[in-house]
PDB file of all heavy atoms in Angstrom:
ATOM      1  N   TYR C 245     151.914 195.698 146.049  1.00 89.00           N
ATOM      2  CA  TYR C 245     150.775 196.600 146.180  1.00 89.00           C
ATOM      3  C   TYR C 245     149.983 196.670 144.882  1.00 89.00           C
ATOM      4  O   TYR C 245     148.743 196.653 144.882  1.00 89.00           O
ATOM      5  CB  TYR C 245     151.242 197.998 146.585  1.00 89.00           C
ATOM      6  CG  TYR C 245     151.850 198.070 147.971  1.00 89.00           C
ATOM      7  CD1 TYR C 245     152.597 199.172 148.365  1.00 89.00           C
ATOM      8  CD2 TYR C 245     151.686 197.037 148.886  1.00 89.00           C
ATOM      9  CE1 TYR C 245     153.156 199.247 149.639  1.00 89.00           C
ATOM     10  CE2 TYR C 245     152.240 197.100 150.147  1.00 89.00           C
ATOM     11  CZ  TYR C 245     152.981 198.203 150.518  1.00 89.00           C
ATOM     12  OH  TYR C 245     153.531 198.268 151.765  1.00 89.00           O
ATOM     13  N   ILE C 249     145.858 195.338 143.976  1.00 91.00           N
ATOM     14  CA  ILE C 249     144.815 196.178 143.372  1.00 91.00           C
ATOM     15  C   ILE C 249     144.349 195.593 142.037  1.00 91.00           C
ATOM     16  O   ILE C 249     143.144 195.569 141.745  1.00 91.00           O
ATOM     17  CB  ILE C 249     145.321 197.622 143.221  1.00 91.00           C
ATOM     18  CG1 ILE C 249     145.492 198.261 144.600  1.00 91.00           C
ATOM     19  CG2 ILE C 249     144.358 198.448 142.371  1.00 91.00           C
ATOM     20  CD1 ILE C 249     145.998 199.679 144.579  1.00 91.00           C
ATOM     21  N   ALA C 274     140.910 197.244 148.129  1.00 83.00           N
ATOM     22  CA  ALA C 274     142.300 196.799 148.204  1.00 83.00           C
ATOM     23  C   ALA C 274     143.243 197.980 148.429  1.00 83.00           C
ATOM     24  O   ALA C 274     144.262 197.858 149.111  1.00 83.00           O
ATOM     25  CB  ALA C 274     142.684 196.057 146.925  1.00 83.00           C
ATOM     26  N   GLY C 275     142.879 199.146 147.871  1.00 86.00           N
ATOM     27  CA  GLY C 275     143.709 200.339 148.074  1.00 86.00           C
ATOM     28  C   GLY C 275     143.767 200.768 149.522  1.00 86.00           C
ATOM     29  O   GLY C 275     144.791 201.261 149.998  1.00 86.00           O
ATOM     30  N   SER C 276     142.666 200.593 150.256  1.00 83.00           N
ATOM     31  CA  SER C 276     142.674 200.914 151.685  1.00 83.00           C
ATOM     32  C   SER C 276     143.656 200.023 152.428  1.00 83.00           C
ATOM     33  O   SER C 276     144.411 200.476 153.301  1.00 83.00           O
ATOM     34  CB  SER C 276     141.270 200.738 152.273  1.00 83.00           C
ATOM     35  OG  SER C 276     140.349 201.622 151.657  1.00 83.00           O
ATOM     36  N   ALA C 277     143.655 198.734 152.067  1.00 80.00           N
ATOM     37  CA  ALA C 277     144.613 197.814 152.680  1.00 80.00           C
ATOM     38  C   ALA C 277     146.043 198.193 152.308  1.00 80.00           C
ATOM     39  O   ALA C 277     146.960 198.101 153.133  1.00 80.00           O
ATOM     40  CB  ALA C 277     144.312 196.385 152.244  1.00 80.00           C
ATOM     41  N   VAL C 278     146.252 198.638 151.078  1.00 87.00           N
ATOM     42  CA  VAL C 278     147.581 199.078 150.646  1.00 87.00           C
ATOM     43  C   VAL C 278     148.060 200.257 151.487  1.00 87.00           C
ATOM     44  O   VAL C 278     149.214 200.316 151.906  1.00 87.00           O
ATOM     45  CB  VAL C 278     147.563 199.442 149.145  1.00 87.00           C
ATOM     46  CG1 VAL C 278     148.799 200.243 148.763  1.00 87.00           C
ATOM     47  CG2 VAL C 278     147.455 198.189 148.293  1.00 87.00           C
ATOM     48  N   VAL C 279     147.169 201.207 151.734  1.00 88.00           N
ATOM     49  CA  VAL C 279     147.543 202.385 152.524  1.00 88.00           C
ATOM     50  C   VAL C 279     148.005 201.986 153.919  1.00 88.00           C
ATOM     51  O   VAL C 279     149.060 202.420 154.402  1.00 88.00           O
ATOM     52  CB  VAL C 279     146.366 203.378 152.612  1.00 88.00           C
ATOM     53  CG1 VAL C 279     146.663 204.471 153.637  1.00 88.00           C
ATOM     54  CG2 VAL C 279     146.090 203.999 151.250  1.00 88.00           C
ATOM     55  N   PHE C 280     147.219 201.127 154.577  1.00 82.00           N
ATOM     56  CA  PHE C 280     147.580 200.750 155.938  1.00 82.00           C
ATOM     57  C   PHE C 280     148.792 199.822 155.963  1.00 82.00           C
ATOM     58  O   PHE C 280     149.615 199.900 156.877  1.00 82.00           O
ATOM     59  CB  PHE C 280     146.384 200.108 156.638  1.00 82.00           C
ATOM     60  CG  PHE C 280     145.396 201.121 157.133  1.00 82.00           C
ATOM     61  CD1 PHE C 280     144.272 201.430 156.390  1.00 82.00           C
ATOM     62  CD2 PHE C 280     145.604 201.787 158.328  1.00 82.00           C
ATOM     63  CE1 PHE C 280     143.372 202.387 156.835  1.00 82.00           C
ATOM     64  CE2 PHE C 280     144.709 202.730 158.778  1.00 82.00           C
ATOM     65  CZ  PHE C 280     143.590 203.037 158.035  1.00 82.00           C
ATOM     66  N   ALA C 281     148.919 198.944 154.984  1.00 81.00           N
ATOM     67  CA  ALA C 281     150.111 198.112 154.903  1.00 81.00           C
ATOM     68  C   ALA C 281     151.347 198.977 154.677  1.00 81.00           C
ATOM     69  O   ALA C 281     152.395 198.771 155.302  1.00 81.00           O
ATOM     70  CB  ALA C 281     149.958 197.095 153.773  1.00 81.00           C
ATOM     71  N   GLY C 282     151.225 199.953 153.779  1.00 86.00           N
ATOM     72  CA  GLY C 282     152.341 200.859 153.546  1.00 86.00           C
ATOM     73  C   GLY C 282     152.699 201.662 154.774  1.00 86.00           C
ATOM     74  O   GLY C 282     153.883 201.910 155.047  1.00 86.00           O
ATOM     75  N   LEU C 283     151.679 202.078 155.538  1.00 85.00           N
ATOM     76  CA  LEU C 283     151.945 202.830 156.766  1.00 85.00           C
ATOM     77  C   LEU C 283     152.748 202.013 157.766  1.00 85.00           C
ATOM     78  O   LEU C 283     153.647 202.538 158.432  1.00 85.00           O
ATOM     79  CB  LEU C 283     150.627 203.276 157.403  1.00 85.00           C
ATOM     80  CG  LEU C 283     150.034 204.593 156.905  1.00 85.00           C
ATOM     81  CD1 LEU C 283     148.683 204.833 157.567  1.00 85.00           C
ATOM     82  CD2 LEU C 283     150.973 205.758 157.184  1.00 85.00           C
ATOM     83  N   VAL C 315     153.142 203.258 147.241  1.00 93.00           N
ATOM     84  CA  VAL C 315     151.723 203.335 147.618  1.00 93.00           C
ATOM     85  C   VAL C 315     150.986 204.307 146.704  1.00 93.00           C
ATOM     86  O   VAL C 315     149.904 204.002 146.175  1.00 93.00           O
ATOM     87  CB  VAL C 315     151.576 203.759 149.093  1.00 93.00           C
ATOM     88  CG1 VAL C 315     150.112 204.054 149.431  1.00 93.00           C
ATOM     89  CG2 VAL C 315     152.115 202.674 150.018  1.00 93.00           C
ATOM     90  N   ALA C 318     150.517 202.888 143.231  1.00 92.00           N
ATOM     91  CA  ALA C 318     149.505 201.840 143.200  1.00 92.00           C
ATOM     92  C   ALA C 318     148.097 202.426 143.210  1.00 92.00           C
ATOM     93  O   ALA C 318     147.194 201.910 142.550  1.00 92.00           O
ATOM     94  CB  ALA C 318     149.696 200.896 144.394  1.00 92.00           C
ATOM     95  N   LEU C 319     147.903 203.532 143.951  1.00 94.00           N
ATOM     96  CA  LEU C 319     146.571 204.128 144.076  1.00 94.00           C
ATOM     97  C   LEU C 319     146.164 204.952 142.858  1.00 94.00           C
ATOM     98  O   LEU C 319     144.976 205.158 142.618  1.00 94.00           O
ATOM     99  CB  LEU C 319     146.515 205.018 145.320  1.00 94.00           C
ATOM    100  CG  LEU C 319     146.736 204.335 146.672  1.00 94.00           C
ATOM    101  CD1 LEU C 319     146.703 205.366 147.796  1.00 94.00           C
ATOM    102  CD2 LEU C 319     145.688 203.256 146.913  1.00 94.00           C
ATOM    103  N   PHE C 613     146.243 192.354 154.140  1.00 78.00           N
ATOM    104  CA  PHE C 613     145.600 191.913 152.902  1.00 78.00           C
ATOM    105  C   PHE C 613     144.743 190.673 153.101  1.00 78.00           C
ATOM    106  O   PHE C 613     143.661 190.551 152.526  1.00 78.00           O
ATOM    107  CB  PHE C 613     146.661 191.634 151.828  1.00 78.00           C
ATOM    108  CG  PHE C 613     147.315 192.872 151.309  1.00 78.00           C
ATOM    109  CD1 PHE C 613     148.687 193.005 151.303  1.00 78.00           C
ATOM    110  CD2 PHE C 613     146.552 193.919 150.824  1.00 78.00           C
ATOM    111  CE1 PHE C 613     149.294 194.157 150.836  1.00 78.00           C
ATOM    112  CE2 PHE C 613     147.150 195.076 150.352  1.00 78.00           C
ATOM    113  CZ  PHE C 613     148.525 195.195 150.358  1.00 78.00           C
TER     114      PHE C 613
END
Side-chain angles (χ1 to χ4, degrees):
Y245 294 165
I249 292 179
S276 298
V278 165
V279 170
F280 281 97
L283 274 176
V315 171
L319 298 178
F613 289 127

